[in-house]
Amino acid sequence: MKDIFIGDYGLDQIGQTLTATGWVANIRNHGKLAFIELRDREGILQVFVDSSVADFEKLAGLHKESVISVTGELVQREERFVNPALKSGQVELRADKIEILAASKVLPFELDSHSHTGEDLRQKYRYLDLRREKMTQNLKLRHQVTSTIRDYLNKAAFLEVETPYLTKSTPEGARDFLVPSRVFKNQFYALPQSPQMLKQLLMGAGIERYYQIVRCFRDEDLRGDRQPEFTQVDLELSFATEEEIRALVEQMLKDVVKAARGVELTEDFPIISYADAMRRFGSDKPDTRFDMELKDLTEIAQAHPSLFVQKAVQENGVVMGLAAKGAAKSFSNRRMKYFKELMKEFGTMSFGTFSYENGAFTGNLAFSFAPAQAQVENLFELAEGDLVFVVTGSEKRVQEALGHLRLLLAKELDVIDEDKLNFLWVVDWPLLEWNEDQKRYQAMHHPFTQGIFGEGEDLSEIRSHAYDIVLNGYEIGGGSLRIHTRKEQEKMFELLGMEKVSYERDFGFFLEALDYGFPPHGGLALGLDRLVMILAGEENIRQVIAFPKNGTGMDPMLESPSLVADKQLAELSLELKD
């Protein structure tokens, strides 16, 4: 075992005879002398080898990424050769003895930071990819984040409790990964989408404060911030208010940012309602690192007889827009056509633009808004060269469409400050949302969320004690106060259109537990992968997971999923179909 990583060698070790072990990151053999860049987890050490050394001939044909051991004296570099970019850049090892511990073949791709290699190849040889400095740093950052979280929660009197991976399949969530049982013929376990009911049962068990850094599984369509298996920081508290839970999580995240990025966040995280987030940003996870807020033009537009406006108004729709500062000349006709088609995909009625140039409106919607120019100027705080995008249709579709367009424009116009870490709480969520395909209401978060009920409320107007934590436009966590009585839980199932026989079958064990004195409780789950991805400055969570699946859900290195032997299928009473 190493007493010190070679990347940490420095002036304190000068004059010592040391044995350094690691990977050959690079080698320059000049015939009479050679320089080896020897790498381990913590960095690179330069090794000088003179041809008088007996083992010099071993360097012939030595490939990069071979593992070697070098014994010699550590000396200080001349001032002109010091490399300030490396921790070990002030010293070098003068080799006396070299041993090749494991030779490497020629690499399938270069590992230096300047090489550009396709992701499929990188994932096929993931053990090589992880040797790259950036990938190693990402894993170290992930370790720092998780250890900071554990330290914080341990000091706050939380107990870390493990929950099972083989659980029961239940509805009202994403698609389950199923595991057939050999012992119980034609029956299946499910891999947990989250430990939701289990952590609530721990509250019923009197644990009072629980956490777990846990693997979860969801069989859903993949994207850059999703994997079929992912890690979340799961926590639950008894006898806590919504405000207390948010305050606890907020301080934990501040500790994480300080440990991971060296930045101390002193201000309280902003709080915004779900309705305001949708109205101002067209998203329930708004990115507040830039402006470009949505504005409602419906009332202003009603005074003008343009067909663009009147069609929306007549169908009880809305007219909304956003202004891109200084962007009047930024987009080609082809790009504008793309934006128009994109808005159609969101189910909006119509799309158009106008610019503010030389004190007047120009463009295809100039006619529609010129009569109210002063009001529109004031609403958008327009300046010379601004471009306004306008969309009409139902309120929800228009908000979502403009929210998507807002992010797209911000990236294309390069107005996002990538150095910012903008946290935000989104609160006052609807309890239910209408599922158009199934023609019924479903839980906005999950069916164990506590609702805020009044007299004679429309189902769409019921609020909940739910809260999401957002960072730079990503939802990194969500939580709520939970239902803790059987009566309330049965009422929630019935609001979701579930029949008694169904919820007794799927959730009977949980309903029975609620009969035995359940405390008021609530909690939150943080997406660890997303959090680390943002802190690392990456755009894909695969970059911060040691062995991820690719964009199609496959593992090119392990070649999984894969076929299994007929004998295994027979033991599980399964039969494959073409």
Side-chain angles (χ1 to χ4, degrees), residues 45-62:
L45 174 70
Q46 178 166 286
V47 177
F48 173 81
V49 191
D50 189 270
S51 59
S52 61
V53 174
D55 293 329
F56 187 87
E57 63 185 32
K58 292 181 179 179
L59 302 183
L62 184 66

Side-chain angles (χ1 to χ4, degrees), residues 430-434 441-444 459-460 462 492 495-496:
L431 181 67
L432 308 169
E433 63 178 340
W434 181 253
Y441 281 101
Q442 62 187 28
M444 194 76 164
L459 292 185
S460 64
I462 301 172
M492 180 64 172
L495 287 177
L496 296 173

Side-chain angles (χ1 to χ4, degrees), residues 394-421:
S394 69
E395 183 177 59
K396 183 175 174 57
R397 292 183 187 276
V398 168
Q399 288 176 345
E400 290 176 346
L402 282 174
H404 184 84
L405 181 62
R406 175 179 180 267
L407 289 175
L408 187 62
L409 294 175
K411 290 175 183 177
E412 295 196 14
L413 296 171
D414 195 23
V415 297
I416 302 175
D417 187 343
E418 299 292 349
D419 294 327
K420 282 186 176 180
L421 291 175

